[in-house]
Amino acid sequence: MGMDKKPAKNPKKLLGPNIREARTRLNISQARLAELLEMSTEVLGRMERKEALPRLERFVLLCEILGTTPNQMLGFSVGVGLPQTPRMSPAYDEMMTLMRHFVVEMEAKLAEDERKELMQVFAHLQRLITLTKKRKAEAAKSRRALAKRGRPAD
């Protein structure tokens, strides 16, 4: 995806194509994405054509729906002094893409309480993944510290 470019002076120039690219990658129509964002298709089209920018709240929601970060959408690369997001495996990326696609497809068919429950399940899953990664990183750090002291790791 073209989201690793340097940020453009005019964010519209980079944001529009990145919206379109992420939307088509997830096989979401412009009309469906506009519906999920609670905006008109015309406004979304103007954003994709580099003619308009979303309000901040919609931009954040847009990133969540498309499964990307605001930094990626605006073309900011990870640099010195910026926190680096953990790299995920291709299998993880594929799973998350499939889950987002499933939610988009099923959302219209679910009742409001079912939709909320599904979103809670995804939030719990994301927290579990984050916690697991954090624990693995802490364990690796402990093993490295023990190895430096000359003690074998468990």
Side-chain angles (χ1 to χ4, degrees), residues 131-147 153-154:
L131 181 62
T132 302
K133 288 190 165 294
K134 184 178 178 181
R135 286 185 178 164
K136 282 183 179 180
E138 289 171 354
K141 186 177 178 180
S142 293
R143 282 192 301 275
R144 285 191 301 270
L146 288 172
D154 292 334

Side-chain angles (χ1 to χ4, degrees), residues 98-112:
L98 288 171
M99 288 173 62
R100 280 189 290 278
H101 185 70
F102 170 76
V103 170
V104 168
E105 290 296 315
M106 292 301 296
E107 184 179 33
K109 300 172 186 172
L110 298 173
E112 184 63 26

Side-chain angles (χ1 to χ4, degrees), residues 4 8 14 19 21 31 33 35 68 84 103 151:
D4 289 334
L14 193 56
I19 293 170
E21 190 175 337
L33 181 57
E35 182 182 326
T68 188
Q84 191 167 5
V103 170
R151 295 181 190 162

Side-chain angles (χ1 to χ4, degrees), residues 2-11 13-15 18 71-78:
M3 293 188 191
D4 289 334
K5 301 175 186 172
K6 289 186 178 182
K9 289 183 181 178
N10 182 349
K13 290 183 179 183
L14 193 56
L15 184 60
N18 283 343
N71 280 348
Q72 290 171 322
M73 289 300 281
L74 293 171
F76 292 103
S77 297
V78 175

Side-chain angles (χ1 to χ4, degrees), residues 88-101:
M88 302 296 179
S89 69
Y92 174 86
D93 291 339
E94 183 179 351
M95 177 191 67
M96 293 308 288
T97 299
L98 288 171
M99 288 173 62
R100 280 189 290 278
H101 185 70

